[in-house]
Amino acid sequence: MSRLFAAALTVALAAALAVGAAVGVVALLEATPDQPNTPLITYEQAGQGS
């Protein structure tokens, strides 16, 4: 009975760990990084500048 209980406890712990890892991965994927809204290339238009 002790080995059966240990096996069931191990399975339950592994399942809980897998669910927790999946929830953590989903939370990381849904996090939006801070991205500055600055263009890398700017073009001068006619009539502007010197």
Side-chain angles (χ1 to χ4, degrees):
M1 184 68 181
S2 174
R3 292 180 73 181
L4 182 61
F5 178 71
L9 186 64
T10 303
V11 168
L13 185 63
L17 184 63
V19 169
V23 169
V25 167
V26 169
L28 285 175
L29 289 176
E30 289 183 354
T32 55
D34 294 333
Q35 296 177 350
N37 193 13
T38 56
L40 296 176
I41 301 173
T42 56
Y43 297 100
E44 290 187 17
Q45 295 180 353
Q48 289 184 345
S50 53

